[in-house]
Amino acid sequence: MTVRFVALLFLAAVAPSAAILDPGDFLALQAIRKALDDVPGSRFFSSWDFTADPCGFSGVRCAGDRVVALSLGEPRAGSPGLTGRFDPAVGRLSALEDLSLAPGRVVGPLPSTITELTNLQFLALSRNFLSGVIPPAMGSLVRLRTLDLSFNQLSGSVPHELAAMPTLSNLVLAHNHLSGELPAFSSPALVRLDLKHNNLNGVISALPPSLEYLSLTWNRLSGTVEWLLPQLRRLNHLDLSVNHLTGPIPPAVFSLPLNELHLQRNFFSGEVRPEGAVTIPTVDLSYNQLSGAIPPALATAKRLYLNNNRFTGEVPAAFVEKLLNATIQTLYLQHNFLTGMELSPAAEMPVSSSLCLQYNCMVPPPAKMTCPPKAGFKKVRPTSQCAEWSG
């Protein structure tokens, strides 16, 4: 007598009036349960009594006799989650559309059998201790819309197969140990791409124009972006900070419908020349090699970080006006080569506004400045570093 037949007889006995769960799904759930357990403080598996109908288990949703959604772990914030490993039997849940795992202590590799779940649309296994590589065959899940494997210990490269998935709209692989070069992304439905805090290197070769959220911060990416970024006209969040990117910042970037623009801690150079009015609330271009005059168009930002660059000349009057009426909340200009700012000695800085001008080629105005600790204690650059003062 086969195990599958035994399971079928058992299900008929415990749930004669309900739809009988597919025996393969029943056995898969049993294997998944044996490989996982509650972390002390969690009671997720307290309802998993296999003498009852598995479709009534916590986290299990059925359609007819098949499991179509499996949410492992208590969804409430602060839940201690689960421990153990992901059993390969999950691949037998062939009707599964949604698979998620609450934050916890699940370890080991991603089962390669996940790639057999051809109906899968949502896969979220973040904030655990999963390791190993991302199976390239995951790119064959043509119905997958969301893939979130963030905050794990995954290594290896980002499979090229993921970059061309036809329906994938959210790819979140942040906070892992991924390395190698970025694949050329061409997924036509991709809206969110989050690969921050990895060890990715090389150039950003291609990104789809459908993107609305892009975060690649804290990697080792290099090369220029002047031809690439202007094509991403739907972006509302852009973070390329803490990389090794070079060249000019494309003027069209400042016309994108962004809520935040983070390009700090790279090697961008040249002048900053926005095209038209800038409507981005937060702009951070600090710790680069930008030069020339500060463009007045940036005075519309609420939080502007231009510190630790090579800007010269006087601070445009537009910034003074915006500071005094509290339109600008933060203006960091320290560690540049600026030569003046026409701020009246009688002017009172609003409590809600922060201005820092330390270490420029000027004596800071008497208005109270609010500088971060990293600005240091020196108020003015040595005259030897300031061409206008050097004689």
Side-chain angles (χ1 to χ4, degrees):
M1 187 178 294
T2 67
V3 173
R4 183 180 178 89
F5 184 65
V6 170
L8 186 59
L9 290 176
F10 181 75
L11 283 168
V14 301
S17 62
I20 300 176
L21 185 67
D22 177 85
D25 285 10
F26 181 87
L27 294 173
L29 290 177
Q30 280 192 323
I32 291 168
R33 172 63 185 93
K34 289 178 182 178
L36 296 171
D37 209 346
D38 284 304
V39 170
S42 171
R43 291 181 50 81
F44 174 75
F45 281 125
S46 62
S47 68
W48 282 48
D49 178 359
F50 283 91
T51 63
D53 180 10
C55 292
F57 292 177
S58 291
V60 177
R61 180 165 59 87
C62 300
D65 65 343
R66 302 304 307 276
V67 176
V68 295
L70 182 59
S71 301
L72 295 167
E74 297 179 4
R76 62 182 174 86
S79 172
L82 305 178
T83 184
R85 292 175 175 267
F86 236 123
D87 194 279
V90 69
R92 291 189 231 146
L93 300 173
S94 57
L96 202 62
E97 298 175 0
D98 292 9
L99 175 60
S100 61
L101 176 64
R105 303 177 189 174
V106 177
V107 301
L110 288 169
S112 60
T113 54
I114 286 181
T115 63
E116 299 170 13
L117 301 175
T118 55
N119 291 304
L120 204 61
Q121 298 178 27
F122 181 88
L123 178 59
L125 310 176
S126 65
R127 296 183 184 274
N128 279 274
F129 294 88
L130 298 172
S131 57
V133 301
I134 300 172
M138 201 168 280
S140 65
L141 300 178
V142 294
R143 296 184 180 181
L144 195 64
R145 296 178 181 175
T146 294
L147 175 59
D148 185 353
L149 304 176
S150 60
F151 290 90
N152 279 290
Q153 297 179 354
L154 299 170
S155 57
S157 62
V158 178
H160 289 264
E161 291 82 354
L162 298 187
M165 297 176 71
T167 61
L168 190 66
S169 59
N170 298 286
L171 179 59
V172 186
L173 306 176
H175 291 268
N176 278 288
H177 305 302
L178 300 173
S179 58
E181 296 189 358
L182 278 181
F185 285 91
S186 59
S187 304
L190 195 61
V191 172
R192 182 185 184 95
L193 179 60
D194 190 348
L195 304 179
K196 62 176 174 279
H197 286 267
N198 279 288
N199 296 310
L200 301 168
N201 56 39
V203 300
I204 307 172
S205 57
L207 294 170
S210 55
L211 275 180
E212 297 178 10
Y213 181 104
L214 175 62
S215 181
L216 301 175
T217 183
W218 284 94
N219 280 286
R220 295 184 292 119
L221 300 170
S222 57
T224 64
V225 295
E226 56 185 322
W227 64 271
L228 181 67
L229 292 184
Q231 303 174 36
L232 308 179
R233 298 179 182 179
R234 298 180 183 178
L235 278 181
N236 55 53
H237 180 96
L238 175 59
D239 191 347
L240 302 180
S241 62
V242 198
N243 278 290
H244 301 155
L245 300 170
T246 58
I249 296 175
V253 167
F254 298 99
S255 300
L256 297 175
L258 296 169
N259 294 315
E260 296 185 13
L261 171 61
H262 294 279
L263 300 178
Q264 69 269 25
R265 295 185 182 274
N266 278 285
F267 297 96
F268 289 115
S269 58
E271 297 187 6
V272 177
R273 296 176 176 176
E275 291 180 348
V278 178
T279 59
I280 308 170
T282 299
V283 176
D284 194 341
L285 310 181
S286 62
Y287 292 93
N288 277 289
Q289 298 174 1
L290 302 168
S291 57
I294 294 177
L298 291 180
T300 54
K302 292 182 178 180
R303 292 164 293 277
L304 181 61
Y305 306 89
L306 300 179
N307 52 286
N308 295 81
N309 277 288
R310 299 174 181 176
F311 289 111
T312 56
E314 293 198 0
V315 179
F319 287 92
V320 177
E321 178 186 349
K322 300 290 186 180
L323 271 171
L324 295 180
N325 64 23
T327 303
I328 295 181
Q329 298 173 4
T330 304
L331 180 59
Y332 281 0
L333 302 175
Q334 68 270 19
H335 288 258
N336 279 288
F337 296 84
L338 301 170
T339 54
M341 182 175 188
E342 293 193 12
L343 190 59
S344 170
E348 292 188 10
M349 192 69 62
V351 177
S352 59
S353 296
S354 297
L355 170 65
C356 187
L357 280 165
Q358 286 186 193
Y359 212 67
N360 277 286
C361 297
M362 58 183 286
V363 176
K368 184 178 180 180
M369 291 196 298
T370 308
C371 292
K374 289 184 178 180
F377 300 101
K378 293 184 178 180
K379 301 293 183 183
V380 184
R381 275 190 181 274
T383 55
S384 59
Q385 297 180 16
C386 300
E388 186 168 316
W389 285 19
S390 63

